[in-house]
Amino acid sequence: MEISRQTSGDLIILHLAGRLDANWCNPVESALAGAVREGEHRLHLDMSAVSYISSAGIRVLLACYKQLKAINGLFGVIRPSNAVRSVLELSGLQMLITSEIAASVSADDAGKEFASASAAYELFALGGGGMKIESVGDAALLSRGGGAQPATRRFDANTVALGIGALGSSFAESAGRCGEMLAVAGVAAFQPADGSSRPDFMLSEGALVPEGQLVLGLVAQGAFASLLRFEANDEDRRIGVTELMQTALESSGANAAVVVAVTETAGLVGATLRQSPVAGAGGPEERFGFPQIRDWLSFTSERSFRDTTSLIVGVVAKPGTAFEALLRPLAKGNELLGHLHAAVFPYRPLRKGRIDLQPAVAGLFDGQSLQNVLHLICDPRGFNGAGESELYRGAVWIAPITS
């Protein structure tokens, strides 16, 4: 099997020559998946020189067709050989065969385009008026512990929250499990700090709304004002989370903003609690001094969760906000402050253009594939440091904080 690639406008054409059987379906699948991971969502497969296709090959074509259809992309077989056309038609898969003329993506709903040295952006107005924010708990909780008695909260579709907490109907049952938590679009997820290896989550279903306790963090309510699409340029292929958050804040026109991002992710740098901070009391030296810190926090020693999809929920701000105690510098030498949590999922491509938040978020949780929830940090220690989280492309919903 020979595989070659051609670009025609916004269309990628893969030319195949040979037999698409069980021996060659993996290389073809890798070529298709590689194009999608590069952000190419309009693919044609020229099969004029394919002499044979087996069921293994059909499954590869059908999987790519379904994946791209789900994100409003395009996939089709052009110029199929007689052998390929016969098999596809007999299998009832005529919809895989398409003409060589493919309509370009409509520009009717295009946003405002601009670029930086690292990425291209497109900004869409959503019309929301922004969000009001509330800080929860004492920032010293992490270092000294104890004393928290949070009320049970409902995390509905209009609520964005992040911090330390747990899902459950009462704090009595949740206190020992409190870890990194986020909530957005009627979904709440957290990383239990009780030794559990798997994060837990709850989705709104009918009258059911996720409930839990946030012992420390930020809660915002309101509507998003804009959607920022981004894609790293061809040279860098990835953009740092600090630049993305800086651009999002500047786009909001405010001193502080709530941000929610769904991203195709190059790698994340973060930390998770190993114990619930409300499980006991103690001074800062007992928790975050060396070597005790190893009992309290787990760090990514390098960029982890490479080539995944992430849901990032956070708040970014310039210095001087009333909730600054819950923010930290996003990068060394940058005045931008932030608090960002990320939920990690296996890779799936994200539809281009204007998309809606709720289905984009809910779709990530299909199949119970949530891998981790972590607090994003920057490790600026030069050669020995992990640096910051890096992203390929994605969507950021932005709400200026109004009060």
Side-chain angles (χ1 to χ4, degrees), residues 1-19:
M1 170 69 72
E2 296 180 4
I3 305 173
S4 59
R5 177 166 164 167
Q6 173 189 351
T7 300
S8 177
D10 62 352
L11 195 66
I12 298 297
I13 303 172
L14 295 181
H15 298 268
L16 308 184
R19 292 170 58 89

Side-chain angles (χ1 to χ4, degrees), residues 126 224-228 258-262 350 355-358 360-361 395-399:
L126 300 181
F224 288 97
S226 58
L227 167 65
L228 180 68
V258 175
V259 291
V260 174
V262 178
L350 185 63
I355 58 176
D356 294 328
L357 175 64
Q358 195 280 330
V361 171
V396 187
W397 289 265
I398 308 164

